[in-house]
Amino acid sequence: MDELLAGLRAAAEPTRLRLLALCGHAELTVSELTQILGQSQPRVSRHLKLLCEAGLLDRFREGTWVFYRLAQRGAGAELTRVIIDQVPPEDATLARDLARLEDVRRARAEAAAAYFRANAPRWDEIRTLHVDDAEVERTLLDMLPRQGIGDLLDIGTGTGRMLELFAGRVQRAVGIDMSREMLAVARANLDKAGRRNCLVRQGDMYQLPLPDQSFDAVIVHQVLHYADEPAEAIEEAARVLKPGGRLVVVDFAPHDLENLRGEHAHRRLGFRDDEVAGWAKAAGLETDPVVHLPGKPLTVSIWRAIRRVAAAAPPAAAARAEGRKR
């Protein structure tokens, strides 16, 4: 009873209710929330502190950035969803907040797109500055079956390297990327390598232009650290997996290299093992033990998950889908 009352008291204030509604749509920093609400950072920080203390929001730090998102566990998580569902979607204040949120997202996307345009021709060179790709590729080859993969999807395909790597093992390999410049590089690489069973298409990793349960394997290679909503990207990847299909996610372990944000457009400074595993579980997948490949200075983590049976969308996914409709 005390937790419920504390949560209700924390939410019963206009600015804090707006903060909950915004965090129901995205993980956001204090500066982004300040920009959207048009209020001072100290004031917004005080409201966020109260919401966290009441168990309605989770706070997590990455380097010098602090992110806020809806609570994922406990009574506060359930209460927050109930409260957000009662906010009238036609409310003028909420509509303005969501419009400003889209401006923030658009600015992020434009900055990332500009970076990709500038760096597409030397993308693989940039990757080698941080991790030994040869070691990662050997591990990936061991983590997916040598036979029986009919259709493979590479989300955020970049230069098409994953398609090249697995082309000899699959009937068809499809690469998805938002950047036309990246896709041009990928097409040139695939043509040069004679990979006729590979194709690339422009598409959004949050809304893949592909049917449900249509791929035997999905790879998300060094993409999540650019994502605004990595959990939703995992959920969408899981949607297109066939029963028995495998998802492999490659990304960095947590680190403190702040320059990767400014110089290379990274949104997140790596991911914890349990964080990615939790997103996979929420999307209806079962995970295997994580593989770590220590590097200097970055460590690469590889998560593998499998869809055991055909199933309806898990509750977490259904809730997020309903939230997007609102």
Side-chain angles (χ1 to χ4, degrees):
M1 182 68 75
D2 290 342
E3 290 183 9
L4 176 60
L5 290 173
L8 290 171
R9 282 193 293 267
E13 194 279 335
T15 296
R16 293 199 286 274
L17 189 57
R18 291 166 69 189
L19 287 168
L20 287 177
L22 285 166
C23 289
H25 285 82
E27 294 179 348
L28 295 163
T29 65
V30 178
S31 61
E32 290 170 338
L33 289 166
T34 298
Q35 177 183 342
I36 293 168
L37 296 179
Q39 299 182 13
S40 69
Q41 184 162 329
R43 181 178 181 184
V44 172
S45 295
R46 285 195 297 272
H47 285 307
L48 290 169
K49 183 174 184 291
L50 288 170
L51 291 169
C52 290
E53 290 175 345
L56 302 183
L57 289 182
D58 286 340
R59 175 186 187 276
F60 61 100
R61 178 180 290 277
E62 287 186 358
T64 60
W65 287 15
V66 176
F67 291 84
Y68 292 86
R69 64 186 176 196
L70 295 186
Q72 303 297 298
R73 298 182 179 86
E78 298 179 11
L79 177 60
T80 302
R81 181 54 60 187
V82 172
I83 292 172
I84 289 176
D85 286 345
Q86 301 309 308
V87 178
E90 69 276 7
D91 181 82
T93 300
L94 176 61
R96 285 194 299 271
D97 287 347
L98 293 180
R100 290 170 182 160
L101 172 60
E102 287 307 308
D103 289 340
V104 167
R105 284 174 156 166
R106 191 176 303 112
R108 291 179 191 164
E110 288 172 356
Y115 170 78
F116 293 142
R117 283 194 298 272
N119 291 286
R122 60 188 189 95
W123 188 244
D124 288 325
E125 173 192 342
I126 291 173
R127 281 182 171 169
T128 62
L129 299 177
H130 307 301
V131 62
D132 182 353
D133 275 345
E135 185 177 359
V136 174
E137 291 177 2
R138 285 194 296 270
T139 304
L140 281 173
L141 288 169
D142 289 338
M143 296 186 78
L144 287 175
R146 293 185 178 275
Q147 297 179 341
I149 301 178
D151 296 310
L152 178 141
L153 173 66
D154 181 30
I155 298 176
T157 195
T159 62
R161 176 55 189 161
M162 291 297 103
L163 303 182
E164 286 189 70
L165 186 66
F166 284 96
R169 292 190 179 187
V170 304
Q171 294 179 13
R172 180 182 67 132
V174 178
I176 297 290
D177 207 292
M178 280 294 290
S179 169
R180 290 186 176 89
E181 290 74 17
M182 284 292 189
L183 293 174
V185 173
R187 288 189 177 99
N189 289 341
L190 294 169
D191 286 345
K192 183 178 179 180
R195 299 303 194 182
R196 299 186 182 280
N197 62 333
C198 299
L199 60 95
V200 295
R201 296 173 60 184
Q202 187 176 33
D204 186 341
M205 66 179 169
Y206 300 116
Q207 296 180 341
L208 296 171
L210 301 164
D212 294 353
Q213 299 185 10
S214 52
F215 285 86
D216 301 288
V218 177
I219 297 175
V220 185
H221 182 262
Q222 297 291 15
V223 171
L224 283 191
H225 55 252
Y226 296 109
D228 288 338
E229 300 294 336
E232 292 188 15
I234 294 295
E235 177 187 319
E236 182 67 353
R239 178 184 66 80
V240 301
L241 267 183
K242 296 178 183 178
R246 290 171 171 82
L247 168 67
V248 177
V249 177
V250 183
D251 219 293
F252 297 124
H255 62 85
D256 59 1
L257 297 186
E258 285 287 341
N259 66 299
L260 294 184
R261 284 188 169 130
E263 297 175 16
H264 295 294
H266 288 204
R267 173 72 176 165
R268 297 288 301 272
L269 299 183
F271 300 93
R272 301 188 318 273
D273 292 355
D274 63 333
E275 192 173 23
V276 177
W279 295 332
K281 182 179 179 181
L285 307 179
E286 297 180 15
T287 55
D288 293 330
V290 185
V291 174
H292 297 291
L293 301 176
K296 295 180 181 180
L298 300 175
T299 291
V300 169
S301 300
I302 305 179
W303 295 264
R304 182 173 63 179
I306 186 170
R307 179 176 294 288
R308 294 294 183 188
V309 295
R320 281 193 290 273
E322 183 62 26
R324 288 194 292 271
K325 292 177 185 177
R326 290 175 177 273

